[in-house]
Amino acid sequence: MSNSDVNLETSMQSIMKTIWNGRRVLFVVGVLAFVLSLIASLLIKPQFKSVATIFPPVSNQVSKELTTVNIQEGLTTFGETQEMEQFLQVLNSRSLKDLVINKLNLCKHWDIDTNQESVKFKTYNKFDSYIKIKPTRYQSINVEVMDTDPAFAALIANTVVDFSDSLMRSIKAQVAQNALKVLEEQYQIMESEMKMLEDSLAVVVSNGVIDPEYQSKVFYKNFISALYSNDRNKLKILNNELKRFGNGTSKHVRYSAEIINLAEHLNLLRQNILVARIEASQKIPTQFIIDRADVPDKKAYPKRLLIVATSTLSALLFAIFFMLLAEYIKKLKNLG
C-alpha cells in the first residue's frame, strides 16, 4: 500500500472519529433544525398558483382574411415564434401592468403604501415576483400567478389575459385608424378623377364617337364603297367626318383605358378600406385562450417536507464542517 493510500485512510478514520465523538452534538443540532424549520414552514402563509394558457394567432390581418374566400390563414391558425415574442412584449409591458394594478387595486392587496416615493418600483417588483409570463416549447404562453388567496390568483391571471387582448387590439386600432383616414382621403381623390374622366368621355360620345372599333369598320366600308363608285360628294362628307371622328377616337380610347385602370385601383382601394375599417373597429380577439385560470384547490408553496429536509440536512452539514474545523485547529495548536 502506498503512502498516499495510507494517509487517505488515516484521514478518513480521523474524520469518522470526529463525527462519532460529536454525535450527541449532531443529534441536538438535527433535532433543533428539524423543529425550527417545521415551525418556520408552518408560519409561512400558503400560496396558490393559478395558470392561464393562451396562443397568439399568426401575424396576418385577420380582417383581410374575413374579406376573402380562404379564411384558413390568420383567423384559425396558431402563431409561431415571431408572434409569440410580439405578444410577450405586450404581456411584459408597463401599460399592461398599470391596467391590471389599477383594475384590481394590487397596491392595497400587497400592502404597499401608495404615499411613499418608490411605490411604482415596489409595485412592479411585486408584480414580477408574483406574476410570471412564461413561453412554452409549444409556442403558447402561460400566465402564472401566485397568491395567498386562490380565488384572487385566478382573477389576476384572467385579468392579465383579458387586458393583454384589449391592449393588443388598441395598439392595432391606432395604426388602422390612421391608415383608414389616409385610404379614405385617397379614395375621394380617385373618385373625383373618375368623375372627370367619365364627363370627358361623355363629351366624346355626345359628338358621335360611341364605339370606335365598330364605327371604324363601318367608316372604312363606306369609304371603299365611295371610292369604287367614284362618289365625290360622299368622299368629301366622309373626309370631313374622318377629321372629327379621328380626333374623337383617340380621346375615346384614352379615356376608356384610363377609366378601366382607375376602376381597378378604386376596387382595390375599396377592399383595403373595408379591411382597415374592420381593423379599426378591433372586435376580433387577438389571441386563442386555451385555458382560463381556475381557482386552485391545492397550495403550491411552501413545500413543508422539502423545507424541513433541506434545513435539517444543511444544519447537520454545517455542524460537521465546524466540528472538523475545530479538530483541525486543535491539532495545529498541539503541533505548535
Side-chain angles (χ1 to χ4, degrees), residues 5-231:
D5 292 337
V6 172
N7 291 335
L8 178 62
E9 184 176 353
T10 303
S11 299
M12 291 300 297
Q13 289 177 353
S14 175
I15 291 172
M16 295 303 297
K17 183 180 178 180
T18 302
I19 294 174
W20 177 254
N21 291 336
R23 62 187 181 278
R24 293 181 179 179
V25 175
L26 291 177
F27 177 77
V28 173
V29 169
V31 171
L32 285 175
F34 176 84
V35 173
L36 291 175
S37 60
L38 181 61
I39 294 172
S41 66
L42 291 172
L43 292 176
I44 299 173
K45 274 189 176 182
Q47 292 189 341
F48 299 83
K49 181 165 76 171
S50 188
V51 182
T53 304
I54 58 177
F55 261 106
V58 296
S59 57
N60 293 359
Q61 286 178 298
V62 177
S63 53
K64 184 175 289 186
E65 304 303 333
L66 286 174
T67 59
T68 60
V69 176
N70 180 17
I71 61 173
Q72 295 177 353
E73 186 75 16
L75 186 58
T76 57
T77 305
F78 291 161
E80 298 185 358
T81 304
Q82 179 183 355
E83 291 79 16
M84 180 186 67
E85 290 175 350
Q86 291 172 352
F87 218 88
L88 283 172
Q89 287 292 104
V90 174
L91 285 165
N92 288 301
S93 66
R94 284 191 300 171
S95 299
L96 177 69
K97 292 177 182 179
D98 289 338
L99 288 170
V100 176
I101 290 168
N102 294 330
K103 172 71 175 179
L104 301 178
N105 196 11
L106 292 181
C107 290
K108 181 180 179 181
H109 180 71
W110 291 331
D111 296 325
I112 298 174
D113 185 6
T114 55
N115 295 320
Q116 59 185 337
E117 293 182 359
S118 58
V119 59
K120 279 194 172 183
F121 175 78
K122 290 186 177 180
T123 307
Y124 288 151
N125 277 349
K126 287 278 189 180
F127 193 101
D128 294 334
S129 298
Y130 295 141
I131 302 169
K132 303 292 185 182
I133 310 298
K134 296 182 178 179
T136 72
R137 60 177 177 171
Y138 306 108
Q139 311 302 331
S140 63
I141 300 172
N142 284 342
V143 180
E144 300 179 358
V145 178
M146 297 284 288
D147 199 86
T148 54
D149 183 346
F152 202 75
L155 178 61
I156 294 175
N158 288 326
T159 304
V160 170
V161 170
D162 293 338
F163 273 128
S164 66
D165 179 56
S166 61
L167 184 59
M168 179 67 85
R169 282 190 284 172
S170 175
I171 294 169
K172 290 185 175 181
Q174 291 177 10
V175 178
Q177 286 167 2
N178 293 330
L180 177 61
K181 184 179 179 180
V182 173
L183 288 171
E184 288 178 338
E185 289 175 355
Q186 188 63 29
Y187 187 81
Q188 291 177 357
I189 293 172
M190 293 181 72
E191 270 196 326
S192 299
E193 292 178 2
M194 176 66 83
K195 183 67 170 59
M196 291 173 61
L197 287 171
E198 288 174 344
D199 292 342
S200 299
L201 182 61
V203 172
V204 174
V205 171
S206 66
N207 290 330
V209 184
I210 301 172
D211 188 346
E213 185 178 356
Y214 175 76
Q215 288 178 287
S216 296
K217 291 178 181 179
V218 173
F219 182 84
Y220 179 75
K221 183 179 180 181
N222 290 337
F223 191 79
I224 296 298
S225 176
L227 283 175
Y228 274 116
S229 62
N230 198 22
D231 188 344

Side-chain angles (χ1 to χ4, degrees), residues 187 190-191 194 262-271:
Y187 187 81
M190 293 181 72
E191 270 196 326
M194 176 66 83
L262 194 59
E264 291 177 356
H265 283 83
L266 278 171
N267 186 49
L268 180 61
L269 196 57
R270 195 179 296 113
Q271 184 79 2

